[in-house]
Amino acid sequence: MTSKTRSVAEIVEPQPVIEGAGVKLRRSIATRRLNYVDPFLLFDHFGSDDPKDYLAGFPMHPHRGIDTVTYMLAGLVDHKDSLGNAGTIGAGDVQWMTSGGGILHEEMPKPKDGEMEGFQLWVNLPARLKMSRPRYREIKADRIPEVRRPDGVRVRVVAGTADGVRGPVTEIAADPEYLDVTVPGGVEYVQPVPEGHAAIAYVFEGEGSFGGEGAQVVAATRLVVLGDGARVRVTGTGDHVRFLLLSGKPLGEPIARYGPFVMNTQKEIEQALEDLRKGTFAWRG
Ligand code: MN
């Protein structure tokens, strides 16, 4: 047993990239600087006051070997996929999509009240599940519990557990935790995170001090990669700090990635491309 508080290992400035049919977004994982934080393969923050930055969206495209997780703060994303799912996710909603052996889907952002903002995370699947049946989960905002502590800390629990409250997304191989945390200025927030799990925090409002001894102040908008330890400690330093706290069990498997496919070997990537050419890509049970 150790009482180690996780310290800041790295602070990453999101990089502007253009994806899909011309969507401007800010990418923190899946860049030259930071290829992945096992089991997390990609982290994007999208949103703009100008719909021209995102309306072209992400027309029909494939995924294989990963989970894609979309969490909306504002605006809407219309979606449909090769499993027959279709709908709209809005502010506070989460779409947790397990691509497994192959899914084709479309993700089209739209403004609501002039706003559109959200995040997409990719979580790796272990080799044994990369060719599994795809699974789609849409969780509406009112099904995501919010913990409200007397000191003003608020935690929306998408996956994992905070103060004994469990999030609705379960049965994910990487055993992820996905929390949306708001900490008022001058208040300390502590969250246990299993030792050996990777942990990152994406600071998107305000600023806070991360770590125990030698804590570092991080202001929005930055990704914080946390070192190993038994808990995360954050103190609000301005008016408040708001961040996503994400943790998960590293898979420790080889990673071969090419665009929307993440497999274990280059040969499996070539197979994905061939399946796409032959029209046999999407999973059929
Ligand atoms: Mn996609």
Side-chain angles (χ1 to χ4, degrees):
M1 286 288 282
T2 157
S3 57
K4 195 176 152 204
T5 296
R6 288 171 180 255
S7 57
V8 172
E10 207 172 341
I11 300 170
V12 177
E13 181 177 359
Q15 296 178 12
V17 298
I18 296 180
E19 265 294 1
V23 179
K24 289 185 187 170
L25 44 82
R26 285 164 278 172
R27 177 163 291 170
S28 308
I29 302 178
T31 66
R32 209 170 277 244
R33 162 91 196 271
L34 187 63
N35 189 10
Y36 59 86
V37 181
D38 188 6
F40 302 123
L41 296 166
L42 174 144
F43 187 85
D44 283 344
H45 180 187
F46 50 85
S48 166
D49 296 335
D50 184 355
K52 283 200 299 293
D53 289 343
Y54 58 79
L55 277 178
F58 304 87
M60 205 52 84
H61 60 277
H63 289 289
R64 176 177 281 180
I66 57 173
D67 285 1
T68 70
V69 184
T70 307
Y71 178 43
M72 298 299 290
L73 295 178
L76 304 165
V77 172
D78 285 339
H79 70 89
K80 57 184 175 193
D81 67 37
S82 53
L83 295 174
N85 300 297
T88 301
I89 52 172
D93 298 347
V94 168
Q95 183 197 74
W96 199 297
M97 205 268 297
T98 298
S99 71
I103 197 167
L104 298 165
H105 76 165
E106 182 179 280
E107 303 160 285
M108 305 302 283
K110 293 192 307 194
K112 188 178 181 195
D113 304 324
E115 296 186 326
M116 202 289 294
E117 185 177 12
F119 308 100
Q120 187 164 95
L121 170 75
W122 291 7
V123 185
N124 206 359
L125 284 169
R128 68 186 166 82
L129 293 176
K130 280 194 181 290
M131 293 303 286
S132 63
R133 171 195 285 268
R135 184 174 178 188
Y136 174 86
R137 274 170 275 192
E138 184 175 308
I139 303 105
K140 292 294 181 192
D142 61 6
R143 286 189 48 225
I144 298 173
E146 183 175 74
V147 171
R148 289 169 176 263
R149 292 186 182 169
D151 58 10
V153 168
R154 287 181 293 140
V155 185
R156 295 192 83 222
V157 189
V158 174
T161 304
D163 297 3
V165 175
R166 195 171 191 213
V169 178
T170 57
E171 299 166 56
I172 304 291
D175 191 19
E177 186 166 72
Y178 194 123
L179 309 175
D180 172 0
V181 184
T182 304
V183 182
V187 171
E188 183 185 82
Y189 162 79
V190 176
Q191 167 72 28
V193 173
E195 283 184 75
H197 283 207
I200 56 180
Y202 189 77
V203 182
F204 61 97
E205 285 179 22
E207 59 169 55
S209 172
F210 287 74
E213 248 176 81
Q216 289 191 51
V217 173
V218 182
T221 307
R222 290 290 184 276
L223 179 90
V224 181
V225 181
L226 295 158
D228 202 5
R231 70 173 82 89
V232 170
R233 186 191 304 269
V234 181
T235 303
T237 50
D239 174 70
H240 73 286
V241 62
R242 186 175 177 192
F243 55 95
L244 300 181
L245 178 59
L246 312 172
S247 68
K249 186 179 162 59
L251 302 179
E253 294 180 358
I255 292 171
R257 66 190 302 166
Y258 181 77
F261 317 124
V262 187
M263 304 301 288
N264 299 108
T265 67
Q266 190 55 35
K267 195 162 175 247
E268 290 166 335
I269 294 291
E270 284 156 22
Q271 184 66 52
L273 290 166
E274 192 185 330
D275 291 347
L276 204 57
R277 274 195 302 271
K278 288 194 306 203
T280 58
F281 180 84
W283 201 92
R284 287 177 184 87

